[in-house]
Amino acid sequence: MKQPESHILVIFGASGDLTRRKLIPALYELHTRNLLPDQFAVLGVSRTELSDLEFQDKMREFLPANDHNQKDIDEFMVHLYYQTLSTAESDEYPVLKQRLESLGSELSIPENYIYYLSTPPNLYQVIPQSLAEVGLNDSTNGFKRLIIEKPFGTDLTSARELNKNLLNYFKENQLYRIDHYLGKETVQNMLVTRFSNGIFEPVWNRNFVHHVEITSAETLGVEERGGYYDHSGAMRDMVQNHLMQLVGLVAMEPPVVIDANAIRNETLKVFQSLRPIKETEVEKHVIRGQYIQSHVGKDLINGYREEHGVDPLSRTETYLAMKFYIDNFRWAGVPFYIRTGKKLPARVTEVVIHFKNTPHHLFGTQATTEQVNNQLVLRIQPDEGILLKIGMKVPGSGFNVQTVNMNFHYSELSDIYLPTAYGRLLLDCMQGDATLYARGDAVEKAWEFVQPILNAWQNNPDIPIYGYPAGTWGPEVVDQLMEEGQWRYPCKNLAHDGEYCEL
Ligand code: BG6
C-alpha cells in the first residue's frame, strides 16, 4: 500500500473523547503498520491550555502499552503537537495559520492539511468559515481536506444548511463526511460478496429475494452520553446514517468502477428510490421503543429514563424497527426491515437476505420435514463472516429435510490484519480517496426519507413508544411488523442463532 503524501492533520476538539478513544489509537495503528508518511504531524487544537508535551502525555494514556511497544509509542508521540485556540473565535485563526507554517518549515512538510472536526456540531459553521478567512481552505499549494463527524444536521433543513455552508468554503471533493460503518471491513466485503461472485448477483433481486432484514443490536445503553442521546434517539443516531448506508450497499446496482463517484452515485440512486413513508403511515410502518428497568440475573438494570442526562419523562426512542420498500426494477415489492436498539441481548450487526421458497414443496408432505427458508447472513460484527442456510436430507429412509448452516468466519483467515474503521478511513482521506465517505446529496436524501417519521413523532404524541425490559429483543409488537416469517434472533456467535443470548 502506498504511503500518503506528507501532511499535517489538525484535530479540532483534541481534548475530547473521540480524539483519545478513536483517532489517536487509529493513527497509532497506522504508525505501527508503517502507513503514515515520514514527514507527518498531528496538531491537536482545543481551548484547554496544554503544551505539546502535556498533550502527548494525555494521549499516551489511551495507547495500550506492553513490554514490546514502548519504543513504537515513543516514536509515535514525537508526531503529536498541540495548539491552544478558541475555535469559535474567528480572530484567533491567524495564530493557527502561523503555527501550521512554522511546523511545516520545521518538519519540511508542504502545505498539505487535513482538518478533522471532532467538535460539537455547533462549530461546523464557524470552523470552516474561519479557516477560509485566513486562506486555509486554498488548495493551490497543497491539499486541504475537511473531515466532519456526524451528526450531519439534526433534520433535513439543518442538513441542507450545513451542506450549503460547507460548500461556501470548501469544494465537495475536499469534504469527507465520516460514517464509521463504511470503514468496517465487513461492510466493504458486502460489495465484494455481491460483485465478485457469479452465484449471488443473479438471485439478488425481487425474483428470488423474499425480504431483507438488517439488524444492528447493542448490549450497551446510553452510558455517559445521555445528554446527547436524549436529543438524538435511534433514528438520528443509527438509522439516518449507519443503517441507511448499509441499505445503500445491499441494494445498489453494480457500479461501473470502484471509485468514489461511481459507488456514491449508486447508493444515491437507492436513496432516491426509497418509497416515502407518509406521516399518516408512520404508526403502521415504524415501531419505536425505550428500554425500561429490568432484572438480568442478579443485576438490576436501569431504565433509559433513569440514565444520567436523560429527561425523566423522555420519549426518545432507544429502539426502532421499520419496514419500507425500494421502488425500482430490482427491488419492487420486496420488503426491507431494519431494526436497531440499545440494551438488547446481544451486540450484533448483520444483513440477512431471505430467499423465496421453492415454487413447489416437493418434500413438504411429511410431518418431520421443515419448510426451508434459505437465508444468506452477512455478519458485520462480531464473529465476522458469512452464513448460508440450506435444506439437506436427513439421513435415513424417506426424504426428510432439515435446515443446516454453511458458514465462513473471518477468524479462520489467520495472519490477516483487520484494520479498525477509523484507521481505514483516516488512511483513505490521507490518500484523497472519498469512496467510503458519505456524499452531501446522499446524506440529504437519507434525511428526506426519515424526516416525515420524525415529524409524525413530534406532531402526534399519540403514536406509542413501547417500553421493553432492558436485555430483551425490544417491544413484542415488533413481530407484527414482519408480515410473513419472523425476525432472526442472532447471537454473538454467527452460527448459534435462535437461542437466547447474553446481555
Ligand atoms: C455511533 C453511535 O455512531 O455508533 C453510537 O453514536 C453507537 O450510539 C455506535 O453505539 C455503534 O457503533 P459500533 O461500531 O459499535 O456498531
Side-chain angles (χ1 to χ4, degrees), residues 150 180-181 184 218 225 228 237-238 242 342 347 381:
K150 78 168 217 294
H180 79 279
Y181 265 56
K184 290 181 193 274
E218 295 184 84
R225 300 162 71 223
Y228 147 77
D237 189 52
M238 290 293 292
H242 307 323
K342 299 227 180 255
R347 175 177 181 253
Q381 63 191 22

